[in-house]
Every structure is written in structure tokens, then in C-alpha cells.
Amino acid sequence: MAVGQKAPANVAGMLTGRDFLSLHDFSPAEVHGLVGLALAYKRDAATVPAPLAGRSVVLIFLKPSTRTRVSFEVAVASLGGHPVYMQGGEMQLARGETIGDTGRVLSQLTDAIVVRAFAHRDVEELAEAASVPVVNALTDLLHPSQALADLLTLHERMGRLAGLRLAYVGDGNNVCHSLCFAAAQTGIHLRVACPRAYQPADQVLVAARADARTTGGRIDVLEDAREAVEGADAVYTDAWVSMGFEAGADARRRALVPYQVNAALMSLAAPHAIFLHDLPAHRGEEVTDEVMDGAQSAVFTQAGNRLPAAKAILSAVLGV
Ligand code: CP
Ligand code: NVA
């Protein structure tokens, strides 16, 4: 499907046929609608029985995955549809078939394509060529299905999104980029703390800040982790070395040492603050065991929320 246009509010039926490539492609009302739908799935209140009966969804993974693959595969099956999992290496893509031709062919055979890839542009090209909805299951640039689960987790734990103070500490990567859009679309005040060399991409900050103009959201980028975490309602971190960024890993790890989320850093957040991580965690690097396993950690609830988020995305774009 073609990308880019911002559709009107009211998620029920309004996202049918749309791609889910970036939260930036949606209006604030649509993002809230998706969070509400995910919440309904979490509460088991989205009651249409087997809405995907007779439909199939292909899941293409060009990078490893535990949470995203399982949540989308279980989501399709539990909505009554048929998931087809393909590892990139076993596809003709690996022998040179173009991403566009892959999208055209899979559109003849399935009802939606979920894809985890390296270059974000590849997923955009797939979406441009495909006539069925394409869902971004992580690229080097963005991880929007994770961000939807993160919004669900924040909403559940804090009872609201607008005005929440969220600190992201670490590498300004794909997860951070999608959090920038999530914050912008929902009125969250996001403070990102990164070393100068690993800050989020300017193009993302410009677009997210533009989205935030109508929501009251804010995105501040700092270098001081302590300043970012001070008084925060939630503290979030992610891997220091993302998949596909292994070159220069040692320099990245060295630069990020002051950004470890440990008990001392968490103590600067609000007393009710929660700790978030998209996982997998690298215990002893970006986060310590005491924080991962501590009373403030919401990381396993957050991982569990990938399933209702996946159901919400699939049912919205498939119009069921
Ligand atoms: N958080 C996340 O996307 O995890 P996986 O890489 O295991 O899918
Ligand atoms: N930033 C990480 C997220 C993994 C779920 C990566 O891209 O490897």
C-alpha cells in the first residue's frame, strides 16, 4: 500500500488497508485509538470471534526475534487466521529476488505482510509494491509495534499518557526513534539522554517535534543521564549495540557506560517510577540485575503487552 497520508480519526474501520510503518504516519487520535484497541484486547473485550478466519499473514524476519515473532504469530493464530513464518535466508530474497517483486507476489498469496528488516527503505519499498497492508516489525530506523506496546504499558501503569515524564537513556536507536513519535503523538514529555555521537537522528526529531505541536508532547535531547531521569515517571533503556550495528561496538559500549540504568540512576526518578526495556536486555551493560529484577521493573508486563499490541495492529489494518 502507498505510504504517508494521514487519515482521519476513529480507528474502528479507519485504518483498514493502511500500512503500519511508523507512528508518524498516523494522527494522534488514531494512535490513541490503537492504544485503546490494544487495551481492549488485553482485557479480552474486543469480542468479534475469529476475526481473521480465512485470512493469512506472512511474517518475514531478516533479523533474529523472540518477542515480535511470537507475538505476531500468536496474534494471527488467536484471531483465527493463519500465520506463515519465513526467515529471510530461506526466501528467494536471499538469491536476489527484489523486495518489490516479493511484495507483489506475497500480496497475491496472503492478506498482510509483517516484516523485520535492516534498511527502513526496504520496508517502504515493500509497502509501495504490495497491495496488502505491510506492518513494520523493526527496521534499523524504527520499531513502532514495540512503541505501541510501550504506550499500552504506560497507560496501564500510570492511567494516562499526556503529560507523563518519560526518560530514555542510552543509544539513540530505532526503539528511541519510535518512542519519540509515540511521545509526540500522545503528549508525553520525553527526555532522551545519549552521548553526542549516538543521539537520535535529526530527521526523526524534526518530524516528531512537528507531530508534538498539536498534542503538548515534548522531546528534549540531553547528554546528562541524571538530568533526564530526575523526577521521571518512567525510565526506559535499550541495547547499546543494536542488530546490524556491530561494527564499532566497542566504542559504542565505552561511550555508553555512563548511561547504564542502575539503582543509583533509578533513585533520581519519581518514587512511583517504573523501569521499561523492550528486551532483550544485556544485563550488566545498559541495565543492572537489581533494576531488571527490582520492584520498579515493568519489563515482563511490557513484553506481554506485545501480544495485544500485535492484535490491535493486525485487526486495525485488516479492518476486522
Ligand atoms: N523487543 C523486541 O522486539 O524483541 P525481539 O527482538 O525478541 O522481537
Ligand atoms: N534496538 C534493538 C532492538 C531489539 C528489539 C535492535 O535493533 O537490535
Side-chain angles (χ1 to χ4, degrees), residues 63 116 138 143 173-175 238-239 241-243 278-280:
K63 288 173 172 172
R116 170 168 285 196
L138 180 146
H143 196 3
N173 60 16
N174 47 4
V175 167
D238 181 27
V241 182
S242 286
M243 295 178 280
D278 52 292
L279 305 180

Side-chain angles (χ1 to χ4, degrees), residues 61 64-70 116 137-138 143 145-146 175 238 243 277-280 306:
F61 280 74
S65 172
T66 298
R67 282 142 288 267
T68 311
R69 185 246 167 116
V70 172
R116 170 168 285 196
L138 180 146
H143 196 3
S145 67
Q146 176 69 54
V175 167
D238 181 27
M243 295 178 280
H277 190 312
D278 52 292
L279 305 180
R306 298 297 307 277

Side-chain angles (χ1 to χ4, degrees), residues 54-72:
R55 313 258 201 131
S56 57
V57 177
V58 62
L59 316 172
I60 303 173
F61 280 74
L62 308 180
K63 288 173 172 172
S65 172
T66 298
R67 282 142 288 267
T68 311
R69 185 246 167 116
V70 172
S71 58
F72 275 103

Side-chain angles (χ1 to χ4, degrees), residues 151-174:
L151 289 175
L152 171 59
T153 310
L154 286 166
H155 191 278
E156 272 185 324
R157 290 297 183 103
M158 302 290 164
R160 70 193 170 105
L161 294 174
L164 281 182
R165 293 161 304 169
L166 172 62
Y168 176 93
V169 179
D171 184 27
N173 60 16
N174 47 4

